[in-house]
Amino acid sequence: MFLKRLTKKPVFNRSLFRKQLLSYFITVLIPTLMIVSVYSYTISEDLKSQLKQSSDNSVQRVSKTIQDIIDQINFYSLQLSFLPDMNRMLKNPSEFTMYDYYQLKEQVRNQINSNELFDSVYIYSSLNERFMTSGEGLYDAAAFYDQPVLKQIRSHSDESFWYEVRDNFITFYKAIPVTESKPLGTLVVNIQKDRFLNTIYSLNNIDDQNVYIVDSNGNVISAHNEAEQGALNRFIGEKNVSSSSLQKVRMNDRTYLAHIQAVQGNGWTVVNLIPYDVYKELLAAKMSKLLLIVLVVFLIGLAVAYTFAVRMYNPWKKIIEVITGSGNSKPSDDEFLLVSGAISSMIDTIKQNEPVMRDHLISDILRNNVSDNAARLEQAGFAFQEPYFAVIVAVFDAMRPEDEEDPQRKLIVYSMVSETLKKYFPVEGTILDRSKLGFIVNLPESGMEDDVRQLIYQCYSEMNGVAQDELNISLQLIVSDAEPTDRLHVAYEQIRRMLNYKAVINRNDIVFLQDHKSELKLVYPLLLQKQLIHSVTAMNIVKANQCVADLFEQYIYKSKYPFEKLQGMIVVLMSSVLNELLKEGHDIGSLNDEVDIFKLNECQNNDELYQFMITHIRKIIDFLEAQQDKQVTNQYVTKTIVYMEAHYGSSLSITEIAEEIGVSSGHLSRTFKAETGKSMLEYLTEFRINKSKELLSSCNDSLHEIGQSVGYNDVQSFIRFFKKYEGMTPGEYRKSI
């Protein structure tokens, strides 16, 4: 009812949906049925194997018990063979008296009584054809009451051991004595059939209804009724059961799994019949669990198939509605034709956009986004004949700032570079990120031979001329070695890493990766570093710029050192300058915001790197000059002022003051001038004049006395300095008060 209601939904009325649902369901159902079939067969075989293993154990125990009984008979015959009276009776029966027979019979009887398995024993003497029995006494062969035994002995005169299954007994025959090469008699042991079977069953703890013992003549040794024994005889006679496996057989309207195993040494066979109902019950228990799992899988498969069908049909439904413009109306019955037409139209569109797709393929190959590059190139229609490829990355930068934002510039440059390369090589390319173009060049040999290099130089010369003269751009080429297609992404990755060091590459140049693989030992420019540090700390911008120029001339412009070492050298050099400022006690915290060494990675070529270093050195020198201007206090200046104000009345010199402060006179003079804006002599003179003005207004001492009190031993010197600073003589000053 659920499926009937489900199929009435509108979505099931779509023929395409039904086909999809059926296909998905069959896709789930067929593997499920195959797995169920295999698993069912495996369960059946495992059950049979378990039953056979159990039967093997049971049959083997029965076979071992039968062999043990036969071993007892052999051991008994060996015991008799060592009895002196037994040997004498068999060898010289004429000298053996009735008393001797009686004594021997009692010995045999006692041994039988100690073995409950043996029912009776006969000893046949072939020389005088007499039977000595354990219970009845001595008989001549002709008068012996068990004539079938005599018949067996005479018919098997050439055998040393055999047996006979009779109505109620199993009779074993053993030639004695076993110590003689030619037997002189026969030991006959009678075992009741029921006792024989009960012994086997009880010793092995088995159900006697399932185990049958069959002698070499096909006679069943069992306590079953005649009908069962007859059916078993017919079954054994057909010989349709292999001892290596369980086979299904039918007996007396019942079905069994039969297992047969022969007892080694005597030709007997043990047959174990396992009721087929036991097998069916075990199989049904396991199959019920399996069917439950199958039902769950079936329902899950149906749900998954329905979900997939709905999800897969919805895009088709939308496509059909778009194609037909039907909206919610019923679409055409021939949905496949509609979609096929749409696909054909899509293919035409793809062909029109094929160049774009080819460009994307080259980009994916370089970035290792695809596998099997050779096959993908062939599928895309690239006609490359040679086995090796080199990667060329073209990097361009606008030479004028106004050209940076030109949206057509990248396409124009790509077209120019691509067309120029194609004049010399089989090549395909793509536009990469930023201002980079990527190309793969087909070459006949691996590596990078001189003739190929010359062609690349010639090609670069042609395209670089156009780039500079007509497009106003600088152009760099990075060229890898020629390698198989599966290593194109490795070559591109090597180029991409090298582009991290563009700051040390010439603005217009070709770089071959092969030329920069050697690890040349870089001799660090210690002398240039010392000169640069000295020039910067001395705030000599001219000498500092000359050091940078020498560095680029010796290491950057003409060097073959690896780019990463050159760039690292620049970082260390600039860091050493800043480190020297730290050693001199400068606080360069604010300078770090303006001088970021690691921004050199943003330089696009060595010209920009040169300007980067010149600019940053200028900033460092400006910082030092600003630091010098901003200093307002100094402990040496303070001590100097205190000392001069305390000893202004004495004759003071700059050397004397410097020795008292503890610094050189030159450094003290420069520092004092920088801090106060006055020289030490000017400051001291002004202080003395101010003190003399105080004395002129407060006392009537002579000018000579006042001059001496403020440090002027010569009155004329006092008058001259006073007039210089006050514009009048000391006398005129006193009168004006």
Side-chain angles (χ1 to χ4, degrees), residues 702-713:
S702 67
L703 295 180
H704 183 268
E705 292 174 343
I706 292 174
Q708 285 185 336
S709 65
V710 294
Y712 294 102
N713 294 326

Side-chain angles (χ1 to χ4, degrees), residues 401-603:
E402 59 268 21
D403 294 334
E404 287 287 347
E405 303 301 326
D406 185 359
Q408 301 297 324
R409 185 169 60 99
K410 185 179 293 186
L411 292 175
I412 295 172
V413 175
Y414 172 75
S415 178
M416 183 272 293
V417 174
S418 178
E419 290 177 2
T420 307
L421 283 172
K422 287 181 179 179
K423 293 179 183 179
Y424 297 87
F425 306 101
V427 63
E428 292 293 340
T430 185
I431 298 176
L432 301 173
D433 55 331
R434 299 183 65 181
S435 298
K436 293 193 286 291
L437 312 174
F439 300 89
I440 59 174
V441 181
N442 194 211
L443 298 174
E445 297 180 356
S446 62
M448 188 58 60
E449 302 299 329
D450 292 339
D451 56 342
V452 177
R453 285 176 177 247
Q454 291 301 322
L455 285 177
I456 294 176
Y457 275 116
Q458 184 177 349
C459 177
Y460 174 72
S461 177
E462 180 179 340
M463 68 175 66
N464 193 42
V466 177
Q468 293 186 24
D469 298 339
E470 299 182 15
L471 301 178
N472 292 319
I473 61 171
S474 64
L475 186 65
Q476 298 171 335
L477 291 188
I478 315 296
V479 185
S480 75
D481 296 341
E483 296 184 285
T485 55
D486 58 350
R487 289 185 57 81
L488 284 173
H489 66 283
V490 177
Y492 174 68
E493 181 62 23
Q494 292 173 346
I495 292 176
R496 194 184 64 79
R497 287 199 298 269
M498 179 166 286
L499 288 174
N500 292 330
Y501 309 105
K502 282 187 60 181
V504 293
I505 302 176
N506 292 335
R507 178 184 290 273
N508 297 284
D509 200 1
I510 301 178
V511 178
F512 291 91
L513 288 181
Q514 192 176 27
D515 297 340
H516 294 271
K517 288 182 179 178
S518 60
E519 293 293 332
L520 296 178
K521 185 177 180 181
L522 176 65
V523 179
Y524 186 78
L526 285 175
L527 180 59
L528 278 173
Q529 175 181 306
K530 291 179 180 179
Q531 293 175 353
L532 180 61
I533 292 174
H534 178 73
S535 301
V536 171
T537 55
M539 293 174 285
N540 191 330
I541 187 64
V542 176
K543 288 187 177 180
N545 290 345
Q546 185 60 44
C547 290
V548 174
D550 293 343
L551 176 71
F552 271 69
E553 187 66 29
Q554 296 176 25
Y555 285 88
I556 304 300
Y557 291 140
K558 300 178 181 179
S559 177
K560 293 296 183 181
Y561 291 116
F563 294 147
E564 61 270 20
K565 289 188 177 181
L566 292 176
Q567 192 158 317
M569 177 191 71
I570 298 296
V571 173
V572 173
L573 187 63
M574 294 296 291
S575 299
S576 65
V577 174
L578 295 176
N579 188 52
E580 185 65 24
L581 298 182
L582 287 173
K583 288 182 180 179
E584 290 191 1
H586 292 284
D587 183 7
I588 63 172
S590 59
L591 185 61
N592 286 331
D593 297 334
E594 297 184 15
V595 181
D596 188 353
I597 299 173
F598 294 101
K599 283 187 177 180
L600 63 85
N601 292 324
E602 300 176 2
C603 298

Side-chain angles (χ1 to χ4, degrees), residues 48-172:
K48 288 182 180 180
S49 177
Q50 294 173 13
L51 293 174
K52 183 178 181 300
Q53 182 64 39
S54 177
S55 178
D56 277 339
N57 296 335
S58 178
V59 169
Q60 287 174 6
R61 288 196 300 269
V62 171
S63 300
K64 181 64 171 56
T65 304
I66 294 173
Q67 189 61 45
D68 289 343
I69 293 174
I70 294 174
D71 290 342
Q72 287 188 30
I73 296 172
N74 290 329
F75 180 71
Y76 181 60
S77 66
L78 182 62
Q79 285 182 317
L80 292 178
S81 298
F82 284 107
L83 292 176
D85 290 343
M86 179 64 70
N87 284 286
R88 192 158 52 87
M89 181 193 78
L90 296 174
K91 292 179 180 179
N92 299 301
S94 59
E95 298 178 359
F96 212 68
T97 64
M98 292 300 294
Y99 180 74
D100 293 331
Y101 275 114
Y102 175 77
Q103 292 293 330
L104 181 59
K105 185 195 75 159
E106 289 301 318
Q107 291 184 40
V108 173
R109 183 186 182 92
N110 290 335
Q111 289 181 346
I112 291 174
N113 290 336
S114 63
N115 191 333
E116 296 181 356
L117 183 62
F118 296 169
D119 183 76
S120 62
V121 173
Y122 309 151
I123 299 174
Y124 171 73
S125 175
S126 59
L127 293 180
N128 60 356
E129 292 191 333
R130 284 189 173 182
F131 281 95
M132 185 189 75
T133 67
S134 59
E136 302 296 335
L138 187 65
Y139 293 90
D140 290 332
F144 186 53
Y145 59 86
D146 200 348
Q147 285 297 313
V149 171
L150 179 61
K151 184 178 179 182
Q152 281 285 327
I153 292 173
R154 289 176 176 174
S155 62
H156 293 80
S157 59
D158 56 343
E159 297 182 27
S160 62
F161 179 80
W162 72 97
Y163 64 89
E164 178 186 10
V165 179
R166 299 197 285 176
D167 292 339
N168 296 317
F169 293 94
I170 301 175
T171 302
F172 295 89

Side-chain angles (χ1 to χ4, degrees), residues 627-691:
Q627 286 288 100
Q628 187 178 40
D629 294 339
K630 291 180 181 179
Q631 294 178 349
V632 294
T633 58
N634 188 288
Q635 59 178 348
Y636 298 131
V637 174
T638 302
K639 290 181 179 180
T640 300
I641 292 173
V642 171
Y643 184 83
M644 287 191 299
E645 289 179 352
H647 298 84
Y648 69 92
S650 302
S651 179
L652 296 176
S653 66
I654 295 176
T655 303
E656 178 184 353
I657 297 172
E659 289 177 353
E660 185 65 27
I661 300 303
V663 295
S664 66
S665 58
H667 179 69
L668 182 60
S669 296
R670 289 193 300 273
T671 303
F672 193 95
K673 177 73 173 180
E675 292 288 349
T676 63
K678 302 176 183 179
S679 67
M680 294 172 61
L681 181 58
E682 289 175 344
Y683 185 89
L684 179 61
T685 300
E686 288 182 357
F687 187 79
R688 284 173 170 174
I689 296 302
N690 289 330
K691 285 294 184 180

Side-chain angles (χ1 to χ4, degrees), residues 710-723:
V710 294
Y712 294 102
N713 294 326
D714 183 5
V715 66
Q716 295 300 325
S717 297
F718 168 62
I719 294 172
R720 187 174 64 254
F721 280 106
F722 190 95
K723 186 176 182 178

